[in-house]
Amino acid sequence: MTVLEDRTEMAEITNEQALDAMFEALEQEPFLEGYKTEIIEGAVHMTPQRDVHWMIIRKLLHALEDRFGRDVRVLSDVRIDFPGYRNGLCPDVAKPRYDAEREGEERWRPEDIEFVAEVISKSTAANDYGPKKDLYAKARIPVYVIADPYQGRVHIYTQPKQGEYHVETKADFGTEIDLTHTPLGLTLDTTDFPRG
């Protein structure tokens, strides 16, 4: 086989196939235990999980259960492929619409997600405030929440239109945030969110 034929075959690999191969290779590494792994714009990002991180995720999960019941479908660290060049994201918390179905019983489609929350880690904070926020807005996810234990603040992004969020609300930890005007229809209490 010539180099030209190899390049032609490589060009035919889809984004999803490339992401599958990348994630499969990463899953073979035993040293990654305890790390969250995502691929953003083709670059691999690994973040060690911390107790503060998990405690905030837990509080977000409880808020969703309090509103929708214990059987609410909520995802955590589950891969969702977003449009663009190799974007396999694993949101800390994601809630699909009630009637959403997995695509071909494989993965959730970004357009079926109505809520995403990310808890900031120092090493990947720029992704959460930057490319991930842009990808969530382009996918028209109605509510994107960033909980930042280093700032002691929550950032809420709503009303995605034309690839960006048009409303940003900031609130310090310890306050109640009114999300009743969103598909979540709840008030998020951040009183017990721990700081980093």
Side-chain angles (χ1 to χ4, degrees):
M1 185 175 287
T2 66
V3 173
L4 182 59
E5 288 172 346
D6 285 344
R7 287 185 184 158
T8 303
E9 287 176 17
M10 288 177 62
E12 293 174 9
I13 294 175
T14 67
N15 244 356
E16 183 177 3
Q17 291 169 328
L19 283 169
D20 287 345
M22 292 172 80
F23 275 107
E24 285 173 22
L26 290 165
E27 288 171 3
Q28 302 302 314
E29 298 299 331
F31 64 86
L32 294 180
E33 189 73 29
Y35 281 80
K36 175 181 174 176
T37 304
E38 295 184 298
I39 300 172
I40 303 170
E41 297 174 345
V44 176
H45 298 270
M46 297 182 297
T47 310
Q49 298 299 339
R50 297 177 33 244
D51 58 345
V52 168
H53 193 94
W54 171 241
M55 291 188 315
I56 293 173
I57 290 171
R58 234 177 107 229
K59 294 193 179 298
L60 290 164
L61 295 172
H62 286 300
L64 292 171
E65 286 179 348
D66 289 347
R67 166 65 177 91
F68 296 101
R70 294 189 64 75
D71 292 332
V72 64
R73 191 173 6 195
V74 181
L75 314 172
S76 182
D77 292 340
V78 173
R79 177 180 155 194
I80 302 169
D81 292 348
F82 285 79
Y85 180 72
R86 296 186 184 163
N87 294 302
L89 306 185
C90 304
D92 289 327
V93 179
K95 181 187 174 303
R97 288 189 336 263
Y98 176 75
D99 60 347
E101 297 291 331
R102 285 185 296 199
E103 190 172 46
E105 296 190 26
E106 286 292 319
R107 291 198 184 84
W108 296 98
R109 299 177 313 162
E111 57 268 24
D112 289 335
I113 306 299
E114 64 184 6
F115 168 72
V116 167
E118 298 284 6
V119 180
I120 293 297
S121 296
K122 282 185 181 179
S123 62
T124 58
N127 288 335
D128 294 327
Y129 286 110
K132 288 169 86 172
K133 182 180 87 169
D134 294 342
L135 289 168
Y136 295 150
K138 286 175 187 169
R140 301 186 68 135
I141 293 174
V143 182
Y144 174 40
V145 171
I146 296 176
D148 191 330
Y150 304 101
Q151 294 179 358
R153 180 173 289 165
V154 177
H155 301 257
I156 301 101
Y157 299 93
T158 57
Q159 296 185 20
K161 291 180 191 143
Q162 299 171 341
E164 62 183 51
Y165 284 105
H166 288 266
V167 175
E168 177 185 5
T169 306
K170 299 177 188 175
D172 292 332
F173 283 9
T175 59
E176 291 187 350
I177 301 159
D178 181 10
L179 297 174
T180 56
H181 60 286
T182 72
L184 291 181
L186 61 79
T187 299
L188 179 62
D189 186 357
T190 66
T191 301
D192 296 325
F193 280 22
R195 294 180 66 111

